[in-house]
Amino acid sequence: MPRTSAAATRDRMLDAAAGEILAVGYASASLSSIAARLGVTKGALAYHFPSKSDMADALFAHALGMHARLEASISEAGLRGVRALVANGSATGLYTQTDLRFAAATSMLLTPGTGGLTLPPLLSDLADLYAGYLREAIEDGEVPADLDPVDAGEFMLTGGLGQISFLTRHPERQGSRDMRFTRWQLRAIGVADVDRLIDGALAAGIIVPARFDQPGFTATD
């Protein structure tokens, strides 16, 4: 029987850490509880990750890599303005429902009680990215010319993250929503042709509609 590679072992450990963090929160998770979830000794876990913060850093790196690849895919597809905003927000929501490590990293960014961790500037970076998309939307006439792209970008980001946070913790409320909240938010910032722009984002093939009923996991996995 082939030996498990070091990379595969690390992946299993990070999945176990992500599941524990989603179940009890970063503050309550420990190397001992993560090792127990995985069925290994604490020493075996510590060989690869000497501290809980090392595991958190690896989860953040995973999420940052996914965001970077998503942003590159949106650019390569030629999406800009509202279409780029929709593609980014919808894919982020889908990742959180289907990728355990991405979900745990997002949870740590959004949940108090991560004292001692050095949090990456992902949320502020996303706010800047959304503001940039909305500046393009102003140039393209997709939103009113007097829209404040910084305020509107933060509005879109916080609304999307709030939806992600709520549905992750209350999976019983999941179900097909046909991007309902995204449509409401876009109309609130003055986007007139919401359906056409969302269809344009989906047609690029980067994402599927954010239904929040994709096969994946719950916060108690």
Side-chain angles (χ1 to χ4, degrees):
M1 184 175 179
R3 294 180 63 187
T4 302
S5 70
T9 297
R10 284 174 59 89
D11 284 345
R12 290 179 58 240
M13 289 177 172
L14 287 176
D15 284 343
E20 185 71 4
I21 289 167
L22 286 170
V24 304
Y26 177 81
S28 297
S30 67
L31 288 184
S32 295
S33 64
I34 294 168
R37 174 182 283 264
L38 191 58
V40 301
T41 66
K42 180 180 176 180
L45 184 65
Y47 176 80
H48 293 273
F49 297 99
S51 70
K52 184 174 66 169
S53 63
D54 289 324
M55 303 196 89
D57 289 342
L59 293 173
F60 286 138
H62 175 79
L64 289 168
M66 291 186 71
H67 275 292
R69 290 191 293 274
L70 172 60
E71 188 176 346
S73 296
I74 289 171
S75 177
E76 290 167 5
L79 296 181
R80 56 180 276 130
V82 172
R83 293 178 182 85
L85 181 68
V86 169
N88 193 294
S90 186
T92 297
L94 182 61
Y95 294 165
T96 307
Q97 294 299 314
T98 58
D99 187 289
L100 195 65
R101 292 178 232 169
F102 187 95
T106 302
S107 175
M108 287 187 287
L109 287 171
L110 298 178
T111 305
T114 53
L117 278 181
T118 301
L119 300 178
L122 179 57
L123 296 183
S124 59
D125 289 348
L126 281 174
D128 291 342
L129 181 66
Y130 281 24
Y133 289 150
L134 287 170
R135 291 187 184 96
E136 294 174 346
I138 293 171
E139 294 172 3
D140 296 344
E142 296 172 340
V143 295
D146 61 352
L147 180 75
D148 185 321
V150 174
D151 286 350
E154 291 176 357
F155 169 71
M156 294 298 300
L157 178 61
T158 54
L161 292 175
Q163 181 186 359
I164 288 169
S165 180
F166 178 80
L167 292 177
T168 297
R169 287 163 175 76
H170 298 279
E172 75 280 0
R173 298 292 298 273
Q174 294 175 17
S176 179
R177 296 174 184 270
D178 195 27
M179 301 185 74
R180 178 185 309 170
F181 299 123
T182 300
R183 295 174 193 274
W184 289 343
Q185 284 185 283
L186 291 174
R187 292 189 178 104
I189 65 172
V191 178
D193 201 353
V194 170
D195 293 339
R196 179 181 64 83
L197 293 170
I198 287 179
D199 288 345
L202 298 176
I206 296 172
I207 53 173
V208 297
R211 293 162 51 91
F212 292 95
D213 57 0
Q214 304 293 325
F217 56 89
T218 68
T220 58
D221 278 357

